[in-house]
Amino acid sequence: MSSDEAIQLTNNDASYCKSYAISKGYWSDPYLKYFCSSHSLEHKAPEISRGYYARVNAIRSCVYKFIEKFDNGQVINLGAGFDTLYFDLIDKNLKFKKYIEIDFGRIVSSKIRLMRSKRALSDKFPRTDTIESTSETTQTQGDFKVPNLFPKASPVHPSLKSNSEIHLENYDLISADLRNTDELDSKLKMCGVSFKLPTLVIAECVLVYMSLDKSSNLLKYLSENFEQIGFLNYEQCNLKDKFGDIMMANMQARECRLEGTEACSSLSTQMERFINNGLNNTQVITMSDFYKNKMDQAERHRIESIEFLDESELLFQLMDHYCIGIASNSQVFEEIFF
């Protein structure tokens, strides 16, 4: 198995862990189940569910603040996998100019196939074509009305016919190699992205799979081409201790090469990478800090009552080794800092 293939499998792992936490009531998401098999309901430790809750809460709270501030903003989700944030924003009637998801071609094709087969998903996309009504239950033959035993199936959503990409007015799903900024630039222009509008880029455990040179090139491309851009990053940190060694060994056992750990040594190295590539307005905190000090405390109390956890030491060890950060080339993004 190649490293890229192993990385793609982490999408399944994350989706299963999120789906289990959703089933236990940590947060509501009526859409993720359509992307998961029955394996998603296999028991997960409470530490895992609380960790994923904090991750989702941190990402989504920041996106909500961004959209509330910029009603003409764009969101670009790098390595989006089976993420369902777009559907959540539609349900909340939040306004944005563009929402673009990017991942490996294999994951993009799988996501399109699943969205095409589930009306609960495909109906969320606007369509301009006319659908023939299927509500009639009878058909006429001469003077007689005969029950229509085989009503005509609804046609496939016109924007979901392609297996390789989706292009709508406010939503695009495309494949691209993020290590190749020329390819990324071409694909973004194909989506009709504006380089002048405020743009929030989401990356959850993406940069760590790229060499420091490649991730730096990506960040520099974004900071130099977008007039107002924020980079919302969830990733490993503090990897230079014994617990970090265990995390690294676990990923290596799954054949996932973490080529970008140099920037994940500490919060300082995380910030340095952003600042060195033109994203000078930067905040990076551990997930422990977010969980204890930034997250709504009523919500924290609620989720901690869902499952009994005898000892929280492992939970905070894990959270000390993940961070959430926002880096921007514009001071206006400081208003959505944690």
Side-chain angles (χ1 to χ4, degrees):
M1 182 189 301
S2 70
S3 181
D4 280 1
E5 290 172 330
I7 292 169
Q8 292 174 64
L9 289 177
T10 63
N11 169 62
N12 295 340
D13 294 339
S15 298
Y16 292 160
C17 289
K18 289 180 181 178
S19 185
Y20 178 78
I22 291 164
S23 73
K24 299 296 289 184
Y26 282 85
W27 72 95
S28 176
D29 185 335
Y31 304 107
L32 187 61
K33 62 186 178 184
Y34 297 114
F35 296 103
C36 297
S37 68
S38 58
H39 294 295
S40 62
L41 297 182
E42 292 178 357
H43 179 74
K44 306 292 188 298
E47 292 92 342
I48 300 300
S49 293
R50 291 189 193 182
Y52 270 98
Y53 171 84
R55 170 178 173 173
V56 171
N57 185 279
I59 294 293
R60 295 195 174 189
S61 64
C62 186
V63 174
Y64 298 156
K65 286 190 290 184
F66 169 76
I67 291 177
E68 287 169 4
K69 180 170 179 58
F70 304 105
D71 58 6
N72 64 338
Q74 304 173 125
V75 179
I76 302 175
N77 196 338
L78 305 180
F82 291 163
D83 190 73
T84 57
L85 178 54
Y86 171 79
F87 302 112
D88 177 64
L89 299 179
I90 295 298
D91 281 352
K92 287 182 168 57
N93 200 31
L94 296 175
K95 306 301 181 184
F96 49 90
K97 186 72 172 179
K98 269 282 185 187
Y99 192 99
I100 302 173
E101 295 186 317
I102 306 174
D103 214 312
F104 288 102
R106 182 177 176 181
I107 291 178
V108 168
S109 295
S110 295
K111 190 166 192 176
I112 293 174
R113 176 178 55 80
L114 291 167
M115 291 193 296
R116 185 166 55 215
S117 65
K118 307 296 183 183
R119 285 290 298 273
L121 300 174
S122 62
D123 283 352
K124 291 296 176 181
F125 297 109
R127 59 191 300 163
T128 57
D129 63 323
T130 301
I131 306 175
E132 183 177 334
S133 174
T134 59
S135 61
E136 295 184 7
T137 58
T138 62
Q139 55 186 345
T140 301
Q141 293 185 1
D143 295 331
F144 300 95
K145 288 187 176 181
V146 181
N148 187 359
L149 301 179
F150 303 100
K152 185 176 180 181
S154 299
V156 173
H157 192 296
S159 298
L160 301 179
K161 291 181 178 179
S162 168
N163 290 322
S164 60
E165 57 190 24
I166 296 175
H167 295 289
L168 293 165
E169 183 178 356
N170 75 339
Y171 177 78
D172 297 88
L173 174 58
I174 58 173
S175 63
D177 186 343
L178 300 175
R179 296 163 294 195
N180 184 336
T181 54
D182 289 336
E183 178 187 355
L184 177 62
D185 182 70
S186 175
K187 290 293 186 78
L188 288 176
K189 289 175 178 174
M190 187 186 304
C191 295
V193 74
S194 170
F195 293 94
K196 296 183 180 296
L197 292 178
T199 302
L200 182 67
V201 176
I202 304 170
E204 298 183 53
C205 295
V206 172
L207 301 183
V208 71
Y209 294 114
M210 306 162 62
S211 69
L212 182 58
D213 286 344
K214 294 295 185 182
S215 66
S216 294
N217 287 339
L218 173 62
L219 295 172
K220 185 174 293 184
Y221 161 78
L222 294 171
S223 68
E224 291 179 350
N225 286 275
F226 286 85
E227 291 185 7
Q228 289 184 309
I229 195 162
F231 195 93
L232 177 57
N233 190 49
Y234 173 87
E235 195 171 39
Q236 294 88 340
C237 67
N238 298 326
L239 290 180
K240 291 299 184 181
D241 61 12
K242 184 174 290 187
F243 195 87
D245 290 340
I246 295 172
M247 291 173 60
M248 292 280 290
N250 179 56
M251 295 302 293
Q252 290 169 0
R254 299 165 64 187
E255 300 183 52
C256 292
R257 290 202 310 272
L258 301 181
E259 299 185 22
T261 55
E262 183 179 344
C264 301
S265 299
S266 65
L267 296 182
S268 295
T269 57
Q270 285 278 358
M271 294 184 68
E272 286 170 8
R273 176 174 54 182
F274 292 127
I275 293 170
N276 290 340
N277 292 289
L279 300 169
N280 296 312
N281 301 281
T282 301
Q283 178 198 40
V284 183
I285 61 175
T286 65
M287 288 304 296
S288 287
D289 188 359
F290 176 82
Y291 187 88
K292 294 176 181 177
N293 303 312
K294 308 296 183 179
M295 202 168 75
D296 182 83
Q297 292 305 296
E299 271 295 283
R300 176 180 173 181
H301 178 74
R302 182 188 67 81
I303 66 163
E304 289 180 348
S305 68
I306 293 174
E307 295 180 281
F308 176 72
L309 185 61
D310 184 49
E311 177 55 61
S312 60
E313 181 181 358
L314 177 58
L315 173 65
F316 290 114
Q317 274 189 316
L318 283 167
M319 288 188 171
D320 281 339
H321 290 81
Y322 283 90
C323 63
I324 188 77
I326 307 175
S328 176
N329 61 359
S330 171
Q331 286 187 336
V332 71
F333 277 84
E334 292 182 8
E335 297 180 32
I336 65 170
F337 278 8
F338 297 103

